[in-house]
Amino acid sequence: PQWYENLPGGLFYDEGPHLLYLLSQYGNACTLDSSFITNSSSERKTPITVSAHFTCGSGIPGDLYMNFAAPVSEWFFIVLGDKRLGVCDLFRDIYVSAPNDGRHTPAAILRTAAICGTKGIREIVRSGVAVIRGRHDVGADRVVERFGEHIRSGTPLGVIDGKHGARIVRLLHEIMNGSQTK
């Protein structure tokens, strides 16, 4: 929104909650271990970069990195496991995953490149068709659907309820207030 610089952390407080919700959804209750902020050299409240490190449910590490001086706006959610890699391009609604490439031999490297390339192209085409048809909604339809179901039947809202919202706002404050800064 036009008024994002009025928020305590500027654009970080507008965009950060979306990514923290995703991290919380994947990693359960995430607690902040450390954060580092590179402040703007101007009077802007939006920092140049935000880097935060978390410990999530079952000891799973989670990282958030945001660069507000980048030439393009991209949102990626990446899950690195011991068996697979998953990459979700949130703006384009594209998901690609690849298996562990083991000993990282030339054959395994080529296999991973072929899998990611083939899946990536297929996902780009699927997403492009959705854009052309006016059906590219980046998940907003699910949130609205869940909220409507809650109003109609009282179904719990889950991670979009007030309790989770307050937790996300606390995490935003923790990241900004407990950070090392440059």
Side-chain angles (χ1 to χ4, degrees):
Q2 300 267 335
W3 46 264
Y4 69 82
E5 275 300 316
N6 294 327
L7 298 170
L11 194 54
F12 171 61
Y13 271 56
D14 177 57
E15 293 184 354
H18 302 287
L19 300 171
L20 290 172
Y21 269 115
L22 273 172
L23 184 61
S24 295
Q25 179 94 16
Y26 168 73
N28 296 321
C30 297
T31 56
L32 180 66
D33 295 327
S34 65
S35 60
F36 185 86
I37 308 293
T38 305
N39 288 317
S40 173
S41 57
S42 69
E43 295 298 314
R44 294 184 59 206
K45 289 183 181 176
T46 300
I48 294 172
T49 62
V50 174
S51 178
H53 308 285
F54 302 90
T55 300
C56 300
S58 302
I60 298 169
D63 293 305
L64 171 73
Y65 179 77
M66 301 176 82
N67 184 331
F68 296 102
V72 294
S73 183
E74 301 290 337
W75 288 15
F76 290 99
F77 186 71
I78 302 169
V79 177
L80 300 167
D82 60 349
K83 299 196 180 357
R84 293 197 77 76
L85 158 74
V87 179
C88 183
D89 178 335
L90 297 166
F91 280 162
R92 292 171 191 84
D93 193 25
I94 293 172
Y95 175 74
V96 174
S97 70
N100 183 328
D101 64 9
R103 294 182 14 215
H104 207 60
T105 62
I109 293 167
L110 287 173
R111 180 191 68 173
T112 300
I115 289 169
C116 290
T118 303
K119 286 182 177 181
I121 290 169
R122 187 172 45 229
E123 285 287 294
I124 289 167
V125 169
R126 184 196 52 73
S127 178
V129 168
V131 168
I132 291 167
R133 290 183 175 166
R135 300 289 305 151
H136 182 72
D137 49 33
V138 199
D141 59 331
R142 290 184 183 163
V143 174
V144 171
E145 194 176 290
R146 189 183 292 170
F147 189 70
E149 184 62 31
H150 170 73
I151 291 170
R152 285 189 297 280
S153 67
T155 303
L157 286 170
V159 296
I160 64 170
D161 69 8
K163 182 179 96 182
H164 286 86
R167 169 80 174 123
I168 295 299
V169 170
R170 281 193 301 277
L171 273 177
L172 291 169
H173 290 320
E174 285 179 36
I175 290 168
M176 290 297 287
N177 298 330
S179 72
Q180 301 172 6
T181 57
K182 180 178 178 186

